[in-house]
Amino acid sequence: MSLLAKFQAQLPTAAKRLLIAFSGGLDSTALLALCYQLRCQRPAITLRAIHIHHGLSSNADAWTQHCQELCQQWQIPLIIERLALATTGNIEATARDARYRAIKQHWQSDELLLTAHHLQDQSETFLLALKRGSGILGLSAMQTQNTLYGMPLCRPLLAFSRSELEHFILSEKLHWIEDESNQDSSYERNFLRNEILPQLRQRWRHIDQAISRSAKHCLESQLLIEELLEEDFHRHCPAQANVFHLNAFKTYSIARQRALLRLWLSRLGQSMPGQKQLDALLENVINAQKDSNPQWQLGELIVRRYQNNLYLTPQFTDLCNYSAELNIGHSLELPDNLGLLESHKQQDGILFRWGSQQLLLPLTRQAIFIRFGHPGRLRYQPNRPRETFKKLCQAAAIPPWQRGRLPQIYYGETLQGILGLCQAFE
């Protein structure tokens, strides 16, 4: 089987639009060349490439120019995204996260993202997972196809050795760039690549293939666990993916509880927490007192508990000091990704619309302001006693962290209504 045929066999047959992560190095140059050759055979395939300029090397501009020249030669549209990364902390993890977030901004929903990870990369990923004490999910390392940052991802070179790719590139008389940081063994992956794995390969010639087999065995075991847990999982996550119901959860063994939580976080595309982190989640959130609303930080997200449910949410901005004027008939982009609030003048009042929520309020000549926070006590029906904002939100089953994010409509300094909750009366 030719290299191109072997490569094509790794791609989903339905893939017609490919977005290629192209650094200009040997691996991604081989990937770009194989995609170009595939397009020559199958003209219906559409290719785009994206190059991330990390700004960490004095050679980064030259690398970008190299990528531009090759893409122009093959008539492959190239996106160049420039990043400004902090040079402190875990640079490897920071750069990886920023890289995929940048790619996500340009990815189109009908595209398949291709990356150039190969057999030796799989060995490094496996050993890094082993160093972290990962379970079988982490030890399954990289899959040929999966979803990452909400994008369908394919690694069609995962079965190829680096020497195969180098032989192919040389036979095609192509050039590639060398990132000098790859020689810096202070980075964990480079330490394995430069110091450890060469010795292992010298002692055991087929160590990369053996590691790849072990990763596949771990993946099969993980898939079997997920299959056996599927009925339980759907009992706890029947609808909203980011909500996990805790009914009868405490009747399970600790091992089953951990497995279900890992499955939930995995389905949400989150990195796997370690056992200590999972145990902290079980003890401090799931097993916390019933009348509390505990939370637990997972990377940049928060796991929260409310009314016997777990929720995975972002870290929200405090909006208590926000105030913006809204002109009738206009729209307002709300802060912190809360979306668009619209206002429409009608014969019988002003219709305010926010997503699926709407509220019809009387016409006014006063200035209209949109604010957030906790307004205290308010009257939600005429001639009824005032109720606390907290009690009204509890009756409407609105979680505590969402209450301060409901848009409040003021005419002058008088509260008129809260979208998603009620109208307010004097």
Side-chain angles (χ1 to χ4, degrees), residues 16 35-47:
K16 296 292 188 293
C35 287
Y36 169 69
Q37 292 182 6
L38 182 62
R39 189 182 66 180
C40 292
Q41 288 190 359
R42 296 165 55 186
I45 287 181
T46 301
L47 302 180

Side-chain angles (χ1 to χ4, degrees), residues 3 7 11 38 41 70 88 119 126 165 174 184 191 200 286 291 309 313 316 344 400 418:
L3 197 73
F7 168 76
L11 293 173
L38 182 62
Q41 288 190 359
L70 190 55
T88 56
L119 185 64
F126 181 92
L165 300 179
L174 296 172
D184 185 353
F191 172 68
L200 296 179
I286 295 175
D291 58 351
N309 294 320
T313 75
F316 298 122
H344 304 276
I418 304 174

Side-chain angles (χ1 to χ4, degrees), residues 74-234:
W74 288 339
Q75 296 184 328
I76 299 173
L78 176 66
I79 304 159
I80 298 171
E81 183 70 28
R82 296 177 182 271
L83 303 179
L85 298 177
T87 55
T88 56
N90 189 335
I91 298 176
E92 290 175 285
T94 299
R96 179 183 183 275
D97 180 68
R99 183 163 58 247
Y100 280 107
R101 290 184 186 278
I103 292 172
K104 179 68 180 288
Q105 292 179 353
H106 296 279
W107 168 76
Q108 297 173 358
S109 60
D110 58 349
E111 284 182 318
L112 178 66
L113 175 62
L114 303 187
T115 62
H117 298 98
H118 53 68
L119 185 64
Q120 280 73 23
D121 293 324
Q122 183 76 311
S123 297
E124 295 162 12
T125 301
F126 181 92
L127 291 176
L128 286 171
L130 189 65
K131 185 269 298 183
R132 292 192 298 268
S134 298
I136 56 172
L137 179 59
L139 293 175
S140 64
M142 296 182 287
Q143 285 80 61
T144 303
Q145 295 180 42
N146 67 345
T147 300
L148 195 64
Y149 288 77
M151 300 177 288
L153 171 67
C154 181
R155 302 178 179 94
L157 303 184
L158 213 51
F160 292 72
S161 68
R162 191 180 190 281
S163 59
E164 283 181 283
L165 300 179
E166 184 173 0
H167 177 75
F168 167 69
I169 288 295
L170 292 174
S171 68
E172 297 292 320
K173 297 182 173 55
L174 296 172
H175 301 285
W176 65 90
I177 62 100
E178 292 284 359
D179 185 344
E180 69 277 2
S181 70
N182 288 335
Q183 303 306 314
D184 185 353
S185 293
S186 65
Y187 297 121
E188 291 188 339
R189 187 174 287 270
N190 288 348
F191 172 68
L192 289 173
R193 181 181 300 161
N194 301 331
E195 308 293 336
I196 303 302
L197 279 164
Q199 296 185 56
L200 296 179
R201 292 179 188 123
Q202 187 174 7
R203 181 67 179 264
W204 299 298
R205 181 181 174 188
H206 300 293
I207 186 68
D208 293 302
Q209 289 81 358
I211 289 175
S212 179
R213 285 197 302 274
S214 291
K216 289 176 181 177
H217 294 326
C218 289
L219 177 60
E220 287 184 5
S221 297
Q222 177 63 30
L223 293 175
L224 177 59
I225 289 173
E226 292 183 12
E227 183 179 329
L228 295 173
L229 287 174
E230 198 66 32
E231 185 176 341
D232 283 346
F233 180 75
H234 283 292

